[in-house]
Structure formats: structure tokens, C-alpha cells
Amino acid sequence: MTVGVLALQGSFNEHIAALKRLGVIGVEVRKAEQLQDVSALIIPGGESTTMAKLAGYHNLFPSLREFVKMGKPVWGTCAGLIFLADKAIGQKSGGQELIGGLNCTVHRNFFGSQLQSFELDVSVPEIAATEGGPPNFRGVFIRAPGILEVGPEVQVLADVAVHSDRTANFDSVESSEEIPGSEKKVIVAVKQGNLLATAFHPELTADTRWHSYFLKMVKETSEDTSSSTASSAGIIRLPQPPKYDLPIYQQ
């Protein structure tokens, strides 16, 4: 299993180091043709506008969109989440190009500026159930986005409470899960088919459970592909019998 990490800017080295701790090869991806050699892709956190400009400069967007459409596993963290979203708001003038595929609306700087970065214990029942360990994960939120809306096919893996007096973008949250005391919940981690996305940075912690969870997605996808190929290869096609023009017997 070889996992590509988009290495245009941001915390790609940290993702590669986390994969190495799990015994998996992580390779830097900067060109479209390199996507042909990897089983899956991680889009790291960083400065999303800068990453988008570099991806456009290297003409990566068509290949990245095709990679997603092919059903190969892709995980976006922070800026990577913004890239995968079908819709992003709160962007700079002119916006930025997106890969898309993840049926959600993301607010680009939902939790504020760089100075408002923080760490928070996030409840992760799905991760704890599949990967073990404690029920919470120490989320590192750096100028982090927030997921405002998701489609019906999107599985919510984690959300956090936000306060009206602490979050400038509180009114943009249309959460159906209101909390008493001027609080709402904003989604910070989701899964949709072959796509995984987190608003925080698991690669900046020693806890590799999110990476392990993603690798299980990669393995399942590889097994499904192998099974499909094997099934096709197992079909025995018998040759058609030759046709003979025999004379018609008449009495």
C-alpha cells in the first residue's frame, strides 16, 4: 500500500511521518502523473489559497477530480477539507478553485484567525469503536474551517459545540441540534464513500487513530477492486460452436 500526500504546501511531512509509524509508505505528490502510482491520497492542512494557486499552476485540478471520481480514498485535513467540499464560503475575494466531491458546505475560516487557534478534546465514537483507545481525540484547530451543512449521504464523525460569544460565525450555523445557553454544534469530521475530511490536524498529534482509520478505508477499497477483478477474470467464455450449412433432406 502506497499513500500519496499532496506536497504543495502545509503539513505534508507530518502526514508522511504518521504513516511511517504505521508501517505504510507515504510519498510526496506534486505532479498529476504521480497520482497513477498511489492507492490513496491525503490533502494536508495549510494555506488553502496558496495551495489552490500552486495546484492550478501545476494543472493538478483535473487529475485530482478524476482521482476522486474513480473512487480512490482521499482524506482532507483542514485546508484539504476545504478542497474536497462542493461549496465553500468565507473565502477571499475571487474565491479559490475546489476539487469537490464531498456533499457539504464549508466555512473557510469558521473558527477565526491564526491567533484564535486552539486545541480541544473532540468526541469520536466511530474512531474509538473501530480503532480502540479513548472516546475523545485531541483536535488541533489552526485557523480551522467548519462544516455548516451536509448531504444525506454524508456520515458525521465528529462535531463540537460553539458559543455565540466566542465564535464570530455563530449565526452561519444552521444546526438542527441546538444546545441551551446560546450554543450550537458545528461539524468537524465527516465521511462520504471514499472521502474522509477533518477540520482539525490529526497529523500534529502522536495519536495515529485517524490515519489507521483512513488506511482501513484504503484496504477495503483495494479488496473491493481486487474482488471485482477476480470475478471478471473467473468468467469462462466458451467458444461459439461453428455453424454448418447442411443440405435439407426432402422425401
Side-chain angles (χ1 to χ4, degrees):
M1 184 189 300
T2 302
V3 177
V5 183
L6 193 64
L8 300 175
Q9 188 263 348
S11 56
F12 56 89
N13 280 323
E14 288 78 2
H15 274 294
I16 291 174
L19 292 170
K20 186 177 181 180
R21 291 199 296 273
L22 293 171
V24 174
I25 298 172
V27 297
E28 298 178 8
V29 173
R30 293 187 177 88
K31 297 180 180 179
E33 54 266 28
Q34 292 175 302
L35 290 171
Q36 300 174 10
D37 302 323
V38 297
S39 307
L41 181 70
I42 297 175
I43 305 176
E47 215 297 312
S48 61
T49 304
T50 301
M51 291 172 66
K53 287 180 178 178
L54 290 169
Y57 177 79
H58 292 287
N59 195 31
L60 272 167
F61 279 105
S63 297
L64 289 169
R65 292 190 186 105
E66 183 62 25
F67 196 89
V68 169
K69 289 178 182 177
M70 288 172 63
K72 292 193 175 183
V74 181
W75 174 20
T77 63
C78 196
L81 158 62
I82 299 170
F83 267 80
L84 290 177
D86 283 340
K87 182 180 179 182
I89 64 175
Q91 300 192 69
K92 295 179 180 178
S93 178
Q96 69 180 62
E97 194 169 356
L98 303 175
I99 298 169
L102 185 60
N103 186 8
C104 70
T105 300
V106 172
H107 193 299
R108 184 174 176 272
N109 285 331
F110 179 84
F111 289 100
S113 66
Q114 192 86 7
L115 295 175
Q116 294 168 298
S117 301
F118 61 95
E119 293 186 17
L120 178 70
D121 283 335
V122 181
S123 176
V124 288
E126 170 75 7
I127 300 301
T130 59
E131 307 306 319
N136 294 331
F137 186 92
R138 192 66 176 174
V140 180
F141 293 81
I142 303 175
R143 199 180 174 187
I147 303 173
L148 307 182
E149 298 175 344
V150 296
E153 71 275 39
V154 178
Q155 179 185 1
V156 175
L157 300 179
D159 52 29
V160 298
V162 291
H163 304 257
S164 59
D165 58 341
R166 298 180 188 175
T167 306
N169 300 301
F170 180 82
D171 291 335
S172 64
V173 182
E174 297 181 1
S175 175
S176 60
E177 207 169 338
E178 298 281 349
I179 306 174
S182 297
E183 290 185 350
K184 296 180 181 178
K185 282 191 174 181
V186 65
I187 300 166
V188 293
V190 294
K191 177 185 177 185
Q192 179 190 326
N194 60 309
L195 304 179
L196 179 67
T198 53
F200 46 92
H201 291 260
E203 74 278 11
L204 298 182
T205 74
D207 192 337
T208 57
R209 286 183 295 164
W210 280 96
H211 289 81
S212 179
Y213 183 80
F214 180 63
L215 292 176
K216 281 189 173 66
M217 290 174 56
V218 181
K219 184 178 180 181
E220 289 170 2
T221 302
S222 299
E223 287 175 350
D224 289 344
T225 303
S226 299
S227 176
S228 176
T229 303
S231 297
S232 298
I235 298 174
I236 302 174
R237 303 185 185 278
L238 296 175
Q240 292 293 322
K243 293 182 179 180
Y244 298 100
D245 291 326
L246 298 174
I248 300 174
Y249 177 74
Q250 293 179 346
Q251 283 185 331

